[in-house]
Amino acid sequence: MCGIVAYVGGGRALPVLLEGLKRLEYRGYDSAGVAVTSLNEGDVGATSVCRAVGRVSVLEDRLDAGGGDGFDGHLGIAHTRWATHGKVTEANAHPHQGTAEGGANIALVHNGTIENYAALRKLLEKKGHAFTSETDTEVLAKLVAELYDPDNEHALETAVQSALREVTGAYAIAVTCDAEPFTLVAARKGSPLIVGIADGGYVVASDGSAIVSHTSRAVTLDDYQVVRLSAGPANTSGSDKAWAAPLHTTTIDNVKVTHEVTELELELEQIELGGYEHFMLKEIMEQPDSVRTCLRGRVDTRDGRIVLGGLNALSRELVRAKRFILTGQGTAYHAGLIGEYLFEDLAKVPARAVYASEFRYRNPIIEDGSVIVPISQSGETADTLAALQEAKDRGALSLGCVNVVGSTMARETDAGVYLRVGPEIGVASTKAFVGQVAVLTMLALYMGRRRVLAHSSVEDFLTHLDRVPDHIAAIVQQSDEIKQRTADVVDRENWLFLGRGYNYPVALEGALKLKEISYIHAEGMPAAEMKHGPIALIDEGMPVVFIATRGSQYDKVVSNIEEVKARGGRILAVATEGDTDIERYADAVFPVPDVPEPLQPLLTVIPLQLLSYHAAVLRGHDVDKPRNLAKSVTVE
Ligand code: M6R
């Protein structure tokens, strides 16, 4: 949800900014912009700004058309936007600017939402600031300008600290001032921001993907922290080499804080397409490996046990826990629903999946022995973070099920199990979902073994779980076949996805996947629910996707298939390999290997991911950057 990249150092800023914007584009892509500060003789500090509606490539074309004049400086900030306040227009694109008394120009990029922006805007207008956009960000830029006092030794840093004490809401910001051409100031609260420590300079970004090609050494800012970064090219501080002063970190109250330098756990090849047409396809196809990595060292088939190092300190509390609250949004919520079945079925512990956005505002009851499990790929989803905080404040123990290492959620939980599926770039979540379900399965078995399950049944599950990566490898081989079958029905605008038991949340996930990237209207629901209303929708040729694998409710699902068939619906079925009966009813069958019911979601979702991918491509959509969406939703 908006991407920020900023640079100060010995090299030219613009190439670093543009490369970073392209890497961060998945976070928001309705408009983009850069501001670069000049160091040219006679022009030191002049700030050039370029903004454009559309993708980063449009901004790049515009910069090219201008011949790069004014953009060869060594300090710059850049932004790719997902609109929250104000329409998608050039005027609303970042950077935004403000002018201080005395003429200093402030440029600022922002990710997050300033909640009290309307009141601040009125105040600033009274003081003579003229606004050119509808955004909350411009308010922040003008507030920094208003509070800028050139007589302060570190005027920009001080003005940013003062401004942030006035605002409520969430922010990650990077700020420059033409009067301080070697200084970049950045800060965060509620939205992620990382400072990469490169050779002779600093790269600041919303996530590691915009940093990793420059350095792997980084500092992750905490909430309410402000960092001052000073650097420059040769001959700008009496030195004949590029220079960089040590980074200076404070709170917004100007209390000095020490920072920890860590290594980014990210390889460049993980964030590149590697020959695939889209990140979504790459991420679907790499699931045999990502699930293998997720399970590695944790599924001990020899001793028949689950080893989760991250839980050692809390294992007794978890085993004694009385209730689990599994929370997340979108795909992560669907994983939570599967967790609900897994925890109750395998560990015999009460569990409820709840939308984080609902949980946080409903005055939830947290009894003694409650554990909240925030589920998230990014670890930064605003609603999930707020639900976590609410449950913690009411005394719940917290256990993260998160992918991004070092993310806010990972740091805010008492313990956790990382997904370890690698970076997910495609906006449609695929490998993270399967990673989340795999982690929840391991958690259920971990607790089940200590509460109710016999050693032999855990052993049996683990043998099957261990084979899941190979099964997924076999399923993704069906991609071409799934594409052909999808082509037969891709022109239909309304679809249903139906499943029972463990496969009911998979039906929800299949419908979400289809609608978010192909813009086809799709609904998922328990197969039995169809008869209570939605059956009225079924007409000749309407695609209805059933998850109809062998298991305790197979016969019931087959009855539901017959009901749809009788009304002319077109049946696409995910079924168990070797089930020839199903072919009598289904127009297309996507087979998956036979595994115990609790493990089925790990397999049954894969054909649905491929189906939605091919549907979107066949309809000519930008699969990795669907309209109106962004990868990480850091606003409510
Ligand atoms: O980063 P998170 O897992 O917390 O994100 C939650 C949802 O925003 C996310 O799963 C969303 O629903 C995806 N676009 C679905 O593909």
Side-chain angles (χ1 to χ4, degrees), residues 121-373:
R121 181 171 171 143
K122 269 194 198 142
L123 205 99
L124 289 161
E125 276 169 343
K126 273 193 197 140
K127 288 184 180 284
H129 294 271
F131 283 81
T132 56
S133 80
E134 306 154 296
T135 65
D136 52 338
T137 302
E138 192 182 7
V139 170
L140 196 47
K142 298 236 171 351
L143 185 61
V144 173
E146 174 63 27
L147 298 168
Y148 187 86
D149 176 359
D151 293 336
N152 273 329
E153 188 188 354
H154 297 295
L156 181 60
E157 180 190 37
T158 309
V160 168
Q161 290 166 335
S162 310
L164 295 181
R165 290 198 294 272
E166 301 297 322
V167 302
T168 55
Y171 53 78
I173 55 169
V175 199
T176 59
C177 173
D178 58 0
E180 300 179 41
F182 302 106
T183 302
L184 172 65
V185 174
R188 79 159 264 181
K189 188 213 148 198
S191 295
L193 205 60
I194 303 177
V195 181
I197 306 170
D199 218 13
Y202 297 99
V203 187
V204 174
S206 303
D207 70 44
S209 64
I211 294 176
V212 70
S213 65
H214 307 285
T215 178
S216 62
R217 297 180 66 229
V219 172
T220 301
L221 291 189
D222 277 326
D223 279 353
Y224 300 108
Q225 287 186 350
V226 179
V227 66
R228 168 168 39 93
L229 305 162
S230 301
N235 301 323
T236 53
S237 78
S239 150
D240 56 359
K241 287 206 299 242
W243 59 276
L247 53 82
H248 183 264
T249 323
T250 59
T251 65
I252 60 170
D253 295 314
N254 198 28
V255 177
K256 178 113 181 64
V257 285
T258 47
H259 46 256
E260 192 193 346
V261 180
T262 53
E263 285 289 310
L264 288 175
E265 288 189 25
L266 199 61
E267 302 291 335
L268 207 48
E269 66 180 38
Q270 290 180 302
I271 53 170
E272 292 190 329
L273 277 166
Y276 284 98
E277 207 181 327
H278 299 103
F279 280 108
M280 182 179 177
L281 185 60
K282 178 184 181 225
E283 287 155 10
I284 293 173
M285 290 305 190
E286 67 192 14
Q287 287 179 107
D289 287 337
S290 61
V291 178
R292 206 168 275 124
T293 311
C294 174
L295 302 180
R296 186 171 299 131
R298 294 165 164 176
V299 172
D300 180 352
T301 45
R302 261 189 24 186
D303 288 346
R305 61 189 191 123
I306 294 282
V307 183
L308 296 172
L311 304 189
N312 284 346
L314 291 183
S315 61
R316 288 167 71 85
E317 281 96 325
L318 288 176
V319 173
R320 289 189 195 139
K322 296 208 180 79
R323 182 166 303 281
F324 281 78
I325 302 152
L326 307 158
T327 195
Q329 294 292 138
T331 287
Y333 167 71
H334 298 156
L337 275 175
I338 295 170
E340 186 180 301
Y341 283 79
L342 288 163
F343 281 32
E344 296 205 346
D345 188 12
L346 302 180
K348 298 283 177 265
V349 60
R352 280 293 162 270
V354 283
Y355 280 114
S357 55
E358 292 300 313
F359 178 83
R360 62 181 294 193
Y361 288 120
R362 77 165 187 219
N363 197 11
I365 298 169
I366 301 287
E367 302 152 315
D368 223 25
S370 297
V371 182
I372 179 127
V373 184

Side-chain angles (χ1 to χ4, degrees), residues 329-332 375-379 381 384 427-429 436 512-513 516 631 633:
Q329 294 292 138
T331 287
I375 302 165
S376 177
Q377 189 288 128
S378 62
T381 299
T384 313
V427 165
S429 188
Q436 287 157 355
L512 172 62
K513 226 57 334 155
E516 76 176 315
K631 181 69 180 160
V633 184

Side-chain angles (χ1 to χ4, degrees), residues 510-630:
L512 172 62
K513 226 57 334 155
L514 188 69
K515 62 189 148 196
E516 76 176 315
I517 55 170
S518 65
Y519 320 145
I520 292 171
H521 175 246
E523 278 190 62
M525 67 193 72
E529 182 63 15
M530 175 189 67
K531 283 204 289 287
H532 298 273
I535 196 165
L537 292 169
I538 295 168
D539 60 4
E540 198 60 36
M542 178 184 188
V544 182
V545 181
F546 276 93
I547 299 113
T549 39
R550 292 270 183 200
S552 53
Q553 299 192 60
Y554 175 77
D555 292 341
K556 308 255 180 242
V557 176
V558 170
S559 302
N560 298 137
I561 292 179
E562 290 193 88
E563 287 153 11
V564 173
K565 194 85 191 146
R567 287 159 181 84
R570 195 173 173 107
I571 312 290
L572 296 94
V574 177
T576 305
E577 235 165 49
D579 180 0
T580 45
D581 295 346
I582 205 87
E583 286 163 10
R584 279 192 281 140
Y585 313 103
D587 299 286
V589 178
F590 309 130
V592 297
D594 194 8
V595 291
E597 275 182 76
L599 304 185
Q600 286 183 2
L602 293 165
L603 305 185
T604 51
V605 74
I606 311 285
L608 306 188
Q609 295 172 344
L610 284 164
L611 184 151
S612 59
Y613 170 77
H614 289 304
V617 173
L618 288 163
R619 288 169 76 109
H621 298 313
D622 186 341
V623 176
D624 286 332
K625 299 187 188 80
R627 72 181 176 207
N628 303 338
L629 283 171

